[in-house]
Amino acid sequence: MSDFWVQYGDDMLPVIGDFPRKGDYLPSFMLVDDQKRDAPLEGFSHTPKLILTLLSVDEDEHGGLYLLRETRRFLDRWPHLKLIVITVDSPSSLARARHEHGLPNVALLSTLRGRDFHKHYGVLITEIPLSGYTAPSILLADAGNVVHYSERLANTRDFFNFDAINALLYEGEQKALEAEREAEAVRIMEEAEREKSTARLLEKAKQVQLAREQIEPKPGEEGR
C-alpha cells in the first residue's frame, strides 16, 4: 500500500519506499556513474549535497531535463552544494546526456547496480507506464549526510519548492557566519588573556631581578 502518488499525464501512479525525512541520515547506496565506475554515497561525504532523482534524462518536461535545468539554475546561488542526479537510465545514456547538454560539476548516477536504491529512498514507482522508474524527488543533506529538506513531486510537471530550500540554506549560512564571528571573538579574547599573562610574567621577572640586585652585593663591595 502506497502513501504517496505521483501524477504523470492522466495517470496517478503509486510510489513506495522509505522516503528520508528531515533529521534522517541518507541511506547508503552503491550506484554507477556515467563512466561505468562504482559510485557509493561515501564518495560524496564531507561535502553538502543536493540529491535529485528524475524519471529519466530522456524525458524533458516530465521530471526530466527541464527539471534538472531549473535545479541547476537555482544552484547558481549556492555553488558549494554538490549536485547528484540519480535515474534509472543506463550509464551510456547518462554519458550521452552529458555530451549533449554539458552538465559540468554534476554527478550523474544510474541505479543499474543499486536496485534497492528505489525503496531505500522512497522513489519506486510501481505501476505502468512508469513501473520501476525513480519518482522525481529532491534531498538537501549536509556534509555528515543528515537530511535538512526532502520533497517528492506530486506531479511530474511540477517544480520543487526552491524558495523553501533557499530559505534553509540562507538560514544555515547566517548561522555559520555567526558561529565564525563568535569563534573569532573567543580567539581574540584568549589572545588578549595570553598577552596579559605574558605581560604579568615579564613584570614579575623584572621585580624578582630588581630584588636580587638589591640583595646581592655589587662587584668590589664584598667584605666592606
Side-chain angles (χ1 to χ4, degrees), residues 5-115:
W5 298 73
V6 61
Q7 184 171 353
Y8 177 72
D10 295 329
D11 296 315
M12 292 296 295
L13 306 174
V15 180
I16 68 169
D18 299 319
F19 188 57
R21 305 293 181 181
K22 182 178 180 179
D24 292 343
Y25 281 94
L26 291 173
S28 182
F29 61 66
M30 175 62 76
L31 304 178
V32 55
D33 68 12
D34 54 319
Q35 299 301 311
K36 302 180 180 66
R37 299 171 298 201
D38 285 342
L41 173 63
E42 290 72 22
F44 303 99
S45 295
H46 313 301
T47 183
K49 56 193 71 70
L50 198 66
I51 296 180
L52 177 68
T53 64
L54 301 174
L55 289 180
S56 170
V57 293
D58 291 324
E59 284 278 357
D60 190 5
E61 59 189 47
H62 282 286
L65 282 173
Y66 189 53
L67 185 58
L68 173 55
R69 285 193 291 268
E70 289 300 308
T71 304
R72 292 187 65 215
R73 187 174 295 115
F74 163 74
L75 285 180
D76 286 342
R77 288 171 279 178
W78 305 101
H80 66 288
L81 283 177
K82 178 64 177 181
L83 179 58
I84 304 170
V85 178
I86 300 173
T87 79
V88 298
D89 298 303
S90 70
S92 298
S93 295
L94 296 177
R96 185 190 70 247
R98 187 184 297 281
H99 177 74
E100 293 177 355
H101 304 285
L103 306 177
N105 303 316
V106 177
L108 297 177
L109 306 184
S110 168
T111 60
L112 182 66
R113 297 177 192 161
R115 290 297 179 179

